């Protein structure tokens, strides 16, 4: 993250300066990230609507378009038995209500009834309202046991590229935004098949989700603003490629070597600075967590780690409560106004599961 640019474009108040300065300090541990990027042809193939996929001359950037005819998407050419999946993404600007841009891993095309999935889903909004996003995971077809977390961002994702990364190993799953770990799921034996463990491909898509994506379907895609364009660059695929049915390595080298390398990589170990950054993000930008949703899960799922600093911010529905703004020490009048905004945003119905 370019902290100086973020600061220069921010309306400076004592609070915003403190928060951004603290965040920039936490983000300095990014030196451990050293990804090898690939071209589109080296790792991907169109998934649908080739006519809405535009590739740059050097094949390092791909644009996905949504218009009144279709959305579009691409998929990795191989399946991976654990891996690291990453891209820098810039989202559509202006009117984006009803749009979903997804960057995720899945094997639903092979395991239709018991698929695994790891999601970044970006949810568009009406002008003046920010993009939101959610992370989710499914294992062995556990779609009735969604593990959604929903967030806002500390930057405008339509102005410049930001990196989004999914790290998936046999021991844990970590979602990153830029160099900030925003969510960690450590494998718990009690999860059983709910932990994704079958080979998956990487997908990137843009599509019309007017029925649910913005305020529960209140705001639809407005094709007067078409085409809607999401750009992907600095593409990263790392891990062992396998045959999804036989689940044997595609190359002679065993998967153990590749997965061991992933698990030993610095990105797989969240440093003390990284944990501070993760707490900073989650306490300020997460507006729903299934782990705190006692209406759906009276007993939190086994992988949930209940963090007191997070827990007191949420109602028993897993959504933010009015006490959120108290944590920032804002004036009472501002706190009430901010809480109303939070309730409207939290009620957006970002997923179909409830």
């Amino acid at each position: 993250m370019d902290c100086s640019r973020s600061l220069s474009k921010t309306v400076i108040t004592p609070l915003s300066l403190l928060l951004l300065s603290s965040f920039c300090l936490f983000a300095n541990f990014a030196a451990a990230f050293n990804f090898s990027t690939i071209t589109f042809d080296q790792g991907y193939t169109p998934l649908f609507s080739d006519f809405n996929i535009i590739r740059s001359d050097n094949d390092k950037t791909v644009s996905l378009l949504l218009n009144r005819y279709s959305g579009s998407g691409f998929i990795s050419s191989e399946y991976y038995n654990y891996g690291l999946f990453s891209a820098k993404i810039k989202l559509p600007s202006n009117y984006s209500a009803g749009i979903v841009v997804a960057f995720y891993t899945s094997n639903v095309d092979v395991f239709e009834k018991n698929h695994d999935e790891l999601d970044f889903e970006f949810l568009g909004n009406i002008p003046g309202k920010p993009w939101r996003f959610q992370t989710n995971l499914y294992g062995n077809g556990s779609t009735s046991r969604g593990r959604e977390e929903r967030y806002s961002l500390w930057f405008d994702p339509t102005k410049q590229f930001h990196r989004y990364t999914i790290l998936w190993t046999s021991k844990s799953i970590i979602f990153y935004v830029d160099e900030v770990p925003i969510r960690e799921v450590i494998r718990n034996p009690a999860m059983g098949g709910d932990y994704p463990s079958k080979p998956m491909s990487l997908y990137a898509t843009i599509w019309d989700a007017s029925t649910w994506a913005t305020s529960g379907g209140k705001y639809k895609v407005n094709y007067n603003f078409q085409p809607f364009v999401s750009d992907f660059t600095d593409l990263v695929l790392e891990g062992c490629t396998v045959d999804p049915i036989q689940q044997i390595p595609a190359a002679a080298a065993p998967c153990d070597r590749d997965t061991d390398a992933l698990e030993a990589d610095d990105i797989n170990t969240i440093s003390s600075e990284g944990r501070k950054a993760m707490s900073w993000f989650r306490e300020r930008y997460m507006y729903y967590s299934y782990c705190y949703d006692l209406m759906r899960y009276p007993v939190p799922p086994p992988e949930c780690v209940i963090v007191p600093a997070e827990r007191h911010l949420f109602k028993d529905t897993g959504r933010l409560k009015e006490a959120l703004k108290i944590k920032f020490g804002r004036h009472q009048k501002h706190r009430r106004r901010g809480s109303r905004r939070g309730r409207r945003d939290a009620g957006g119905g970002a997923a179909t599961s409830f």
Side-chain angles (χ1 to χ4, degrees), residues 10-11 26 74 104 150 195 255 296:
T10 301
V11 176
F26 295 150
F74 62 84
Y104 64 105
R150 302 182 194 134
Y195 188 87
C255 272
R296 292 174 69 198

Side-chain angles (χ1 to χ4, degrees), residues 127-312:
K129 296 290 184 179
W131 277 81
R132 299 154 299 138
F133 76 105
Q134 65 182 22
T135 60
N136 207 345
L137 68 92
Y138 303 110
N140 208 32
S142 60
T143 53
S144 63
R145 298 185 296 281
R147 289 162 159 81
E148 305 99 323
E149 289 188 347
R150 302 182 194 134
Y151 329 84
S152 55
L153 288 160
W154 66 92
F155 54 81
D156 184 343
T158 72
K159 298 298 184 184
Q160 57 190 11
F161 285 97
H162 290 269
R163 181 170 290 285
Y164 304 90
T165 302
I166 300 170
L167 175 65
W168 169 48
T169 74
S170 63
K171 299 177 181 177
S172 67
I173 298 160
I174 306 176
F175 294 87
Y176 285 88
V177 176
D178 289 330
E179 293 79 24
V180 180
I182 65 163
R183 180 180 183 183
E184 178 185 37
V185 178
I186 297 176
R187 187 172 192 168
N188 185 314
M191 294 180 72
D194 280 3
Y195 188 87
S197 57
K198 297 187 293 296
M200 291 193 278
S201 297
L202 186 282
Y203 292 74
T205 58
I206 184 171
W207 53 289
D208 184 331
S210 292
T211 58
W212 65 270
T214 307
S215 298
K218 179 179 179 181
Y219 299 103
K220 316 294 184 183
V221 174
N222 185 341
Y223 286 104
N224 290 326
F225 295 94
Q226 70 172 2
F228 305 98
V229 182
S230 187
D231 300 313
F232 297 76
T233 193
D234 285 2
L235 305 169
V236 177
L237 286 174
E238 295 183 6
C240 183
T241 58
V242 299
D243 180 299
I245 303 300
Q246 297 181 357
Q247 298 193 28
I248 59 175
C255 272
D256 289 347
R257 184 181 66 189
D258 296 307
T259 54
D260 287 349
L262 277 177
E263 292 176 1
D265 195 288
D266 288 341
I267 192 175
N268 194 49
T269 302
I270 303 178
S271 66
S272 58
E273 291 83 2
R275 295 210 172 272
K276 290 177 183 177
M278 184 162 65
S279 295
W280 184 93
F281 172 83
R282 294 174 65 82
E283 291 175 25
R284 287 163 177 80
Y285 294 99
M286 183 167 69
Y287 66 87
Y288 172 81
S289 173
Y290 75 103
C291 285
Y292 304 129
D293 190 342
L294 300 182
M295 306 300 291
R296 292 174 69 198
Y297 301 109
V299 177
E303 74 278 5
C304 287
V305 176
I306 305 304
V307 180
E310 294 175 6
R311 177 67 187 94
H312 84 281

Side-chain angles (χ1 to χ4, degrees), residues 62-184:
V62 57
S63 300
L64 297 182
L65 279 61
L66 166 67
N67 54 30
R68 65 179 70 255
Y69 302 107
S70 179
S72 54
F74 62 84
I75 184 174
S76 62
S77 304
E78 304 283 356
Y79 291 81
Y80 291 82
N81 185 26
Y82 306 117
L84 187 151
F85 313 92
S86 184
K88 288 186 177 179
I89 305 172
K90 186 164 62 173
L91 299 176
S93 58
N94 204 345
Y95 192 103
S96 59
I99 297 172
V100 169
V101 174
F103 183 76
Y104 64 105
T105 65
S106 179
N107 48 34
V108 68
D109 55 339
V110 177
F111 304 100
E112 184 177 352
K113 296 182 178 180
N114 61 337
H115 83 283
D116 306 306
E117 192 168 313
L118 299 171
D119 298 324
F120 270 111
E121 285 188 306
F122 303 94
L123 311 174
N125 221 328
I126 59 175
K129 296 290 184 179
W131 277 81
R132 299 154 299 138
F133 76 105
Q134 65 182 22
T135 60
N136 207 345
L137 68 92
Y138 303 110
N140 208 32
S142 60
T143 53
S144 63
R145 298 185 296 281
R147 289 162 159 81
E148 305 99 323
E149 289 188 347
R150 302 182 194 134
Y151 329 84
S152 55
L153 288 160
W154 66 92
F155 54 81
D156 184 343
T158 72
K159 298 298 184 184
Q160 57 190 11
F161 285 97
H162 290 269
R163 181 170 290 285
Y164 304 90
T165 302
I166 300 170
L167 175 65
W168 169 48
T169 74
S170 63
K171 299 177 181 177
S172 67
I173 298 160
I174 306 176
F175 294 87
Y176 285 88
V177 176
D178 289 330
E179 293 79 24
V180 180
I182 65 163
R183 180 180 183 183
E184 178 185 37

